[in-house]
Amino acid sequence: MEKKTPFYDQHVAAGGKMVPFAGFLMPVQYVGIIEEHRHVRSKVGLFDVSHMGEIEVWGPEALKFVSYVTVNDPAALEVDQVQYSAMCYPDGGIVDDLLVYRFPDHYFLVVNASNLDKDFAWLQEQAKKFNVTLKNTSDDVAQLALQGPQAEPLLAKICDLKLSDMKFYWFKIGKVDGVEMIVSRTGYTGEDGFELYFDKKYAGQIWEALFKAGQEFDLKPSGLGARDSLRLEMKYCLYGNDIDKTTSPLEAGLGWITKLKKEGDFIAKDVLLKQKAEGVKRKLVGFEVEGNAFPRQHYKVFKDGSQVGEVVSGVFSPSVAKGIGTAYVQSEFAKTGTDIQVEIRGKMVPAKVAETPFWKHSSIKK
Amino acid sequence: MNFPKDLKYSATHEWARIEGGIATIGITDFAQGELGDIVFVEMPAIGSKVEMAKPFGTVEAVKAVSDLNAPLSGEVAEINGELEGTPDLVNKDAYGKGWMVKVKLSNPGESAKLMDAEAYEKMEKHGH
């Protein structure tokens, strides 16, 4: 039996098509993926992401612990700053990707819904060696993602924070429609926007307040379908497709969050150092397909008749109106511009390793 | 959900409108709703043979691809060229402008194996 998020009734009232996803009934779309996708790129959309997991890390060794279990360096975070990171198994495979929030007295981790139970058990196991306390607050937290170029002026109408001062990947505790919450300038769409974390008892009130304030900005609800096509146009990783326990962050193009020189030990450090020194054998690349053919997960990738990789994510890109995807390919074929072929139902379809992100007109203000 | 009475339905969600030995074929309103925004319909060549319950083309949606199975056997007499530029006609008007192919039937008796609107609707409501 799937769980419902605190916005279930709002989705149904808005015409959301509810599907099971990561143990929740979630809206895959309201009017259509393409329309919702374009609306987020051009105006502003609201996503319910309450399925995501939230874990708090408290205690004197919280920083040391978070640094040990993640590949990025949380010591580099200021209070009110957010970091994209990943947790690895000792063999370098990825447990999950996550956001790390630094509060004055604790860390707040946001993980994938589908991995929450596994992540929490993994973290508890690792925590035995540290003076920390973990709290899984996922069931109490409502989370909304307001995404699109109009997100800031919209939210500014009902938020007491000076949003124009908040940079990408920073957050503040503030009030929205009088309700205290985490207002975080983050997202998974490639557009400017905010993610709001708050007590789920205010779910209905905040949903309504956002749509009321959003009327003049043409705010529309956006489903998981558009969330996926938006993230793929940015080549943002999706756990279960682009990354999993068999892929390392270095293979996945996440070298930029893998801080091998950070202070202290961390899980998989030795394996990742070796990978870095020797070079990875395969890499996650973005590619575009020619014509009316669309890549899908598990399609095979070829170079001159030999299989050199496999598609992990594929979609019709509403922004570039082409089939786009990500694939792991042997490193020698990972260079932008390399001609490859994707086997699509028995046919070898020409494709090219593309420069990513595919979407080059992001409204994110760095 | 819409289930026109004058059509015959396959278990794989195709419909057929049979008129004078020719069947006009498309996918049902339910099928287009499940697939979501359709971005390409791969059609058979005019003159090619299609066989009942065998794939004759594919429908590509943003996130998924699905085979088109022929609800009846015969020879492709016409394809809906409009779908090349506007595949979303299938979403907007599954039983009308979103038709896909016209097939000259080689075995009209096969239509007895298809469902009528009532049976198809029942299958939908009771979960396939």
Side-chain angles (χ1 to χ4, degrees), chain A residues 37-240:
Chain A
H37 179 114
R38 291 186 175 144
H39 200 82
V40 171
R41 289 266 179 261
S42 61
K43 292 177 178 173
V44 58
L46 186 66
F47 299 83
D48 173 13
V49 281
S50 302
H51 60 309
M52 301 294 283
E54 290 86 15
I55 297 166
E56 293 176 3
V57 183
W58 293 83
E61 289 190 307
L63 171 60
K64 207 174 152 197
F65 172 74
V66 175
S67 188
Y68 179 70
V69 295
T70 63
V71 298
N72 208 332
D73 185 8
L77 282 174
E78 310 264 350
V79 170
D80 295 343
Q81 202 176 4
V82 192
Q83 185 174 73
Y84 178 58
S85 192
M87 300 191 282
C88 282
Y89 291 109
D91 69 358
I94 298 173
V95 180
D96 204 357
D97 61 340
L98 72 161
L99 293 181
V100 177
Y101 287 73
R102 184 182 166 194
F103 283 80
D105 50 1
H106 71 286
Y107 289 83
F108 177 69
L109 314 180
V110 181
V111 304
N112 282 297
S114 53
N115 291 336
L116 173 62
D117 293 346
K118 175 190 82 176
D119 289 355
F120 194 63
W122 173 254
L123 288 169
Q124 278 183 312
E125 184 61 33
Q126 307 312 315
K128 287 176 184 167
K129 291 169 269 177
F130 295 85
N131 187 0
V132 292
T133 309
L134 304 180
K135 261 168 74 180
N136 177 0
T137 61
S138 306
D139 285 343
D140 307 322
V141 179
Q143 189 190 345
L144 292 172
L146 183 72
Q147 300 281 297
Q150 295 299 315
E152 185 190 307
L154 189 167
L155 189 60
K157 281 179 69 185
I158 51 170
C159 180
D160 67 350
L161 296 169
K162 197 168 177 224
L163 298 175
S164 53
D165 287 350
M166 192 187 289
K167 292 197 188 108
F168 196 54
Y169 269 71
W170 288 77
F171 73 98
K172 282 270 186 209
I173 303 285
K175 282 185 177 158
V176 174
D177 196 41
V179 175
E180 191 172 278
M181 63 179 68
I182 299 171
V183 177
S184 165
R185 196 156 208 158
T186 46
Y188 195 48
T189 61
E191 297 306 326
D192 189 19
F194 299 88
E195 291 178 297
L196 311 173
Y197 303 84
F198 52 97
D199 188 325
K200 69 174 180 190
K201 71 180 176 201
Y202 300 110
Q205 178 195 330
I206 296 302
W207 180 273
E208 203 175 308
L210 285 167
F211 276 99
K212 198 172 158 208
Q215 220 159 22
E216 65 180 282
F217 302 98
D218 198 16
L219 176 65
K220 296 268 172 71
S222 319
L224 286 183
R227 184 170 156 83
D228 188 51
S229 54
L230 287 159
R231 73 92 195 164
L232 188 46
E233 285 185 351
M234 297 305 292
K235 199 181 171 240
Y236 292 157
C237 287
L238 173 62
Y239 195 92

Side-chain angles (χ1 to χ4, degrees), chain A residues 17 29 31-35 224-225 228-229 292 294 296 299 315-316 345 347, chain B residues 33-40 42 58-65 67 84:
Chain A
K17 187 176 152 200
Q29 64 169 60
V31 292
I33 294 175
I34 296 175
E35 193 175 325
L224 286 183
D228 188 51
S229 54
N292 281 311
F294 306 97
R296 310 290 177 189
Y299 285 5
V315 79
F316 168 81
R345 289 183 305 283
K347 279 184 222 154
Chain B
E34 286 296 294
L35 281 164
D37 291 347
I38 290 166
V39 295
F40 183 63
E42 188 183 38
T58 50
V59 186
E60 296 272 5
V62 176
K63 284 191 65 139
V65 59
D67 274 334
E84 199 179 320

Side-chain angles (χ1 to χ4, degrees), chain B residues 14-17 22-27 41-46 48 50 56-57 68-72 75-81 83 96 98-104:
Chain B
E14 290 85 14
W15 57 263
R17 180 180 291 115
I22 303 270
T24 305
I25 290 164
I27 63 169
V41 183
E42 188 183 38
M43 302 277 205
I46 290 172
S48 62
V50 301
F56 71 87
L68 289 166
N69 293 304
L72 296 159
E75 187 181 308
V76 177
E78 205 178 322
I79 61 170
N80 184 355
L83 297 185
W99 69 276
M100 291 169 179
V101 294
K102 292 190 183 186
V103 169
K104 187 169 188 301

